[in-house]
Amino acid sequence: MMADIAGIALLQRHLAPPRAEELARMAAVLGGAEESLVAGATGTAALGSPVYRLERGGWLVVAGAAGRPVPDEEGLLSPEPGPTLARLAGPFALAAWDGSRGRLILASDRQGGETLYYALARGRVCFATRVGALQEVLGEVAGMDPVGMDQLFTLGAPVAPRTVFEGIERVPPGCWVEIDARHPVLHRFASPAFRPEEDPPAEGAGGGLEYCLEAALERSTGAESASVALGADPETALEEPAGAALLRLAGTPGPARVESGAWMEAGDLEVAVRALESPLVSLAPVQEGGLGRHLRSQGRGRVVTTAGGSLVSGESRLVAELAVRRGWARQPDSIGRPRLLDALDPERLAGTGPEWRRALYGQGLDSPDAVTFSHLPRWDQNARIRALYLPGVREALPEDPLEELEQGLPGDFALWPGLHRALHLELTLWLGGRRPGSVLAAMGIVVESPWLDPDVVAAAAARPHAPVLRRALHRARRGTGPSRTGSGVAPLPGAGEATLGRYLDPGLVEVTGLFDPDRVGRLVMRWRRGCRLTPADRRALLVVVTTGIWARHCLERPSLLPTEARA
């Protein structure tokens, strides 16, 4: 069954309706049959499987909600469809044309499990669940958005609705967009995931969080057993508390431990980039592709992952870092507090002194109540990728990469506890950037993530924050907290010399229009000579290589280029 949706809606009545060739191209892009394509009398068209015709004039297409109730027409087409959207379970993306009001409604689930992109061009709006399909519907290739790219490299994801594509926006998680003849208006139907005043779910026999997790697991699998693997790092699936909890509830021993590097092959980089339609800022999606190949070799077409488990449960390294740095901020002259970071980041801090600890983790210690305090160290390190940009790109970027992010935070965000702010930022950016399960889904594997279920997240947010931070600090003192894992000697394990040589070619680096070929060349030379590379250097290589892959596959679509340009 086709999982994607796409469509066109006119914003001005005098415009000509979509041409037959446009509709044929749209159907070909998503592999739809004639019965899955509907053309409205008002010059609108939609592709989905199925397409629901609405009694009040119009249509509805839904992605990701197979087997779940379709929203009722009266509530969806009311002036305020938010309550109807909030009742929908699981990941979904939907588009509805309201013929009576002449408006298009686009919506995405509260966790961003299903993405929905849209673009306004020539008096009409085009939408699709994949950027590649959207570009085919538009009939043109979108360019690169330098600000979106910089946000991706610095924050881990563009700040929605911005994307890495110029002129293409994404419906933010938990929001719906109303588009009519005037302009798009963004509305929110679900509150942010870690809002602390959320009422806790009903307690059950297993307690709040565990009870909700068990219920989410039952909804996901509908069976006693399931394949279980950790979404972010498969090799620690049996070690992290989140993985252990899910394995226990699933009643299955889970997969055998496999070294994640051994799962990666030369083509996995391209598979991950094409699935995410974005450059990569970590190797997690590449590991996910290797995991997918491993599951398919065993004949498994469904997987329940612990993606987000360590984050939602409070067992992540981010929470441990926050606990240590808050204590350090209260006692800036302490010697013991900053030393606790050595166990959390042994690769960069082992054998170093206080100056190096402060350089890596001392950002914002004078203002621990800042809304972005938890993420300042990593964002400061990530922002060093700007040194590789072309001079013109650096000059055109906003001086403060956090400004747009802070403008989009909830109005009362500064009043939230520090833990809730940290987890909200991490979950929002993490889901907006990597979208766990996207690579597996592209390989035809059904992915369920019980830890990201709204009830589970709400139960985690309802817990008192102080005990969670105390436990994280206690683990850091004992040296048992989660640590940063190195990426090995090779900056891109499994990539292969051919892949690196192709996408680090100075000509292709220059074509992307973002990086300075000379600066990148010096970094590549250091790597080829076997010089020691810092984690930031290895991350920079990953970013440059996958940007080249992204430019080749997403900015140069053969079906849209003239015949002579395809050669």
Side-chain angles (χ1 to χ4, degrees), residues 114-362:
E114 286 285 345
T115 55
L116 188 59
Y117 302 96
Y118 64 95
L120 280 69
R122 300 182 296 278
R124 61 182 184 173
V125 58
C126 302
F127 65 88
T129 41
R130 290 187 287 115
V131 173
L134 178 58
Q135 291 186 125
E136 295 284 357
V137 175
L138 284 169
E140 60 187 35
V141 176
M144 176 188 68
D145 183 347
V147 176
M149 295 288 280
D150 185 58
Q151 290 177 350
L152 170 67
F153 301 150
T154 302
L155 307 177
V159 179
R162 187 185 294 276
T163 68
V164 294
F165 295 90
E166 185 178 19
I168 293 180
E169 296 190 339
R170 173 191 175 189
V171 180
C175 294
W176 63 282
V177 179
E178 181 181 21
I179 307 176
D180 56 19
R182 292 167 295 178
H183 52 78
V185 179
L186 182 67
H187 307 267
R188 177 171 291 280
F189 67 82
S191 59
F194 270 92
R195 181 178 292 276
E197 65 269 22
E198 291 280 353
D199 293 331
E203 294 289 326
L209 181 58
E210 185 165 324
Y211 173 79
C212 291
L213 178 60
E214 188 168 5
L217 183 63
E218 291 177 357
R219 288 194 296 271
S220 298
T221 63
E224 290 282 322
S225 61
S227 302
V228 183
L230 189 65
D233 190 0
E235 76 176 72
T236 59
L238 304 181
E239 295 179 355
E240 293 200 11
L246 193 59
L247 290 171
R248 183 180 73 256
L249 293 174
T252 176
R257 175 170 174 167
V258 179
E259 291 297 327
S260 58
W263 292 5
M264 287 185 269
E265 296 180 355
D268 287 346
L269 277 176
E270 297 197 20
V271 169
V273 171
R274 296 181 74 166
L276 296 181
E277 298 181 304
S278 168
L280 306 183
V281 293
S282 79
L283 284 172
V286 187
Q287 293 175 336
E288 193 174 284
L291 170 63
R293 198 170 49 254
H294 174 70
L295 293 171
R296 290 177 64 180
S297 69
Q298 297 183 338
R300 299 182 181 183
R302 187 184 189 92
V303 60
V304 179
T305 79
T306 58
S310 61
L311 177 65
V312 174
S313 64
E315 307 284 350
S316 68
R317 191 172 64 88
L318 173 70
V319 175
E321 282 181 13
L322 176 63
V324 173
R325 292 180 62 245
R326 283 168 61 92
W328 188 8
R330 288 194 297 267
Q331 303 176 23
D333 297 328
S334 171
I335 297 176
R337 284 296 179 109
R339 281 182 177 174
L340 296 176
L341 294 166
D342 293 5
L344 300 177
D345 193 355
E347 183 181 15
R348 295 191 297 177
L349 294 180
T352 63
E355 295 80 8
W356 190 238
R357 292 191 198 98
R358 185 170 291 275
L360 291 179
Y361 287 98

Side-chain angles (χ1 to χ4, degrees), residues 62-131:
V62 185
R68 299 187 176 95
V70 176
D72 67 279
E73 177 178 342
E74 183 176 354
L76 184 62
L77 299 187
S78 68
E80 177 50 60
T84 300
L85 295 170
R87 288 194 294 270
L88 295 181
F92 69 86
L94 66 81
W97 175 253
D98 184 352
S100 62
R101 291 186 173 88
R103 61 172 182 166
L104 180 67
I105 296 173
L106 305 175
S108 178
D109 66 88
R110 69 186 70 202
Q111 299 294 352
E114 286 285 345
T115 55
L116 188 59
Y117 302 96
Y118 64 95
L120 280 69
R122 300 182 296 278
R124 61 182 184 173
V125 58
C126 302
F127 65 88
T129 41
R130 290 187 287 115
V131 173

Side-chain angles (χ1 to χ4, degrees), residues 348-533:
R348 295 191 297 177
L349 294 180
T352 63
E355 295 80 8
W356 190 238
R357 292 191 198 98
R358 185 170 291 275
L360 291 179
Y361 287 98
Q363 294 79 9
L365 290 179
D366 56 343
S367 54
D369 293 326
V371 295
T372 56
F373 172 78
S374 58
H375 285 69
L376 290 180
R378 70 172 64 178
W379 289 345
D380 179 72
Q381 291 294 309
N382 294 346
R384 298 186 182 186
I385 190 70
R386 286 188 167 194
L388 297 181
Y389 292 169
L390 288 165
V393 173
R394 288 199 303 271
E395 294 170 2
L397 292 174
E399 183 176 348
D400 183 6
L402 305 185
E403 182 178 359
E404 192 169 325
L405 171 69
E406 293 177 348
Q407 290 176 350
L409 294 174
D412 60 344
F413 194 66
L415 303 178
W416 293 19
L419 175 66
H420 289 78
R421 292 199 299 255
L423 295 180
H424 171 76
L425 287 172
E426 184 72 358
L427 187 61
T428 301
L429 293 170
W430 182 57
L431 291 174
R434 187 170 70 79
R435 300 196 301 280
S438 296
V439 179
L440 291 173
M443 302 175 74
I445 297 173
V446 178
V447 182
E448 299 281 2
S449 302
W451 276 103
L452 300 179
D453 182 89
D455 287 345
V456 175
V457 175
R463 295 174 302 170
H465 62 279
V468 176
L469 289 174
R470 283 198 298 269
R471 286 195 297 271
L473 187 60
H474 180 65
R475 290 193 301 272
R477 284 171 174 161
R478 295 179 56 189
T480 58
S483 63
R484 178 190 296 271
T485 55
S487 52
V489 177
L492 303 170
E497 183 69 24
T499 300
L500 290 175
R502 177 183 180 189
Y503 291 108
L504 290 176
D505 176 80
L508 184 57
V509 171
E510 186 174 8
V511 166
T512 62
L514 185 64
F515 299 110
D516 186 326
D518 294 334
R519 292 177 179 269
V520 172
R522 288 194 289 271
L523 176 60
V524 173
M525 185 65 67
R526 290 178 52 218
W527 169 67
R528 294 192 187 279
R529 288 177 176 175
C531 299
R532 183 180 181 275
L533 299 181

